[in-house]
Amino acid sequence: MRIITGQFKGRRFDIPRTFKARPTTDFAKENIFNVLTGYIDLEGARALDLFAGTGSISLELLSRGCSQVVSIEADRDHARFISQCVAKLGVSNHALIRGDVFRFLKNPSQPAFSFIFADPPYALPNLATIPDLVLQSGLLAPDGVFVFEHGKQNDFSDHPRYREHRAYGSVNFTLFT
C-alpha cells in the first residue's frame, strides 16, 4: 500500500497477510482523488474515514494536508496497524476511534466534516443503507463531499444527493453532496 501524493508521497506500508481488509487499489485511489479536486480542496479540510480497514485512505488524506482525519475501524488488528502507520508519519492530526461505524453514525459526537469516505465490506448485508445513515447523521458539512466505495451491484443514481458514479475495474465510487 502506498501514498499517492502530497507530503508523504511514495511512502509504502506492508499490510499483514492475515488482514481480511483489502485496500482501495492505487489505480482507483489515484483516480477518485483526481475527481475530487473538482469538488473539494482537501488542504485544511476535516475528513472522516469510515470502515478505515488498512488506513490507506486516512493516510492519503493526511498526506494531502487535511487539518484533521478521523478514522473509524472496528477490527482491533486493523486499528493497531493504522495507529502504527500514522506514528511512522509522525503526525498528530489523526484520531482513531475503534468501534462500530453504525453505532458511531447513530450518536455522532463530532463537528461536521468537509469530506467523508466510506469503504465497507462489499458483502455487508445493510450496505445500501449507509449513504442515508451518513447523510442524515449531520456529520457532512453543508458544502461537503461524501464518497462511498461499493461493489458494482449497487446503484445510487436515484438518491436525491447523488452527484456522480465512477468505476475503476471492480471498484465503484458514488459521490454525494
Side-chain angles (χ1 to χ4, degrees):
M1 169 178 86
R2 77 179 167 95
I3 297 176
I4 304 295
T5 198
Q7 179 182 358
F8 305 111
K9 178 181 179 177
R11 293 284 298 266
R12 293 183 177 276
F13 299 91
D14 294 324
I15 301 167
R17 295 184 196 280
T18 58
F19 273 25
K20 299 173 289 257
R22 39 118 192 96
T24 301
T25 65
D26 286 352
F27 176 73
K29 184 167 59 170
E30 184 170 9
N31 280 290
I32 196 61
F33 274 98
N34 286 340
V35 169
L36 283 172
T37 60
Y39 285 91
I40 187 170
D41 181 4
L42 291 171
E43 183 76 34
R46 288 188 77 241
L48 175 63
D49 184 7
L50 301 171
F51 305 95
T54 63
S56 174
I57 298 298
S58 294
L59 298 174
E60 191 70 37
L61 291 165
L62 289 165
S63 184
R64 290 173 185 254
C66 286
S67 63
Q68 182 184 26
V69 176
V70 176
S71 305
I72 313 294
E73 176 53 47
D75 185 278
R76 181 189 64 220
D77 294 333
H78 293 195
R80 185 179 318 121
F81 178 74
I82 294 167
S83 292
Q84 291 168 350
C85 292
V86 169
K88 288 177 184 174
L89 296 180
V91 296
S92 59
N93 56 333
H94 178 261
L96 175 66
I97 298 173
R98 193 173 152 272
D100 180 74
V101 167
F102 294 100
R103 272 197 204 132
F104 176 80
L105 291 173
K106 285 180 185 172
N107 298 305
S109 60
Q110 297 276 332
F113 293 89
S114 302
F115 179 71
I116 298 176
F117 186 90
D119 178 12
Y122 290 1
L124 196 67
N126 49 352
L127 182 135
T129 66
I130 294 171
D132 280 336
L133 291 173
V134 170
L135 295 168
Q136 293 169 7
S137 71
L139 286 168
L140 187 64
D143 59 345
V145 177
F146 167 45
V147 174
F148 186 50
E149 183 176 336
H150 55 85
K152 64 182 177 185
Q153 69 278 12
N154 300 100
D155 179 7
F156 299 98
S157 59
D158 288 338
H159 195 282
R161 295 179 66 183
Y162 169 89
R163 288 299 160 258
E164 70 176 282
H165 172 262
R166 296 290 178 116
Y168 305 102
S170 63
V171 180
N172 289 262
F173 296 102
T174 299
L175 284 76
F176 301 89
T177 55

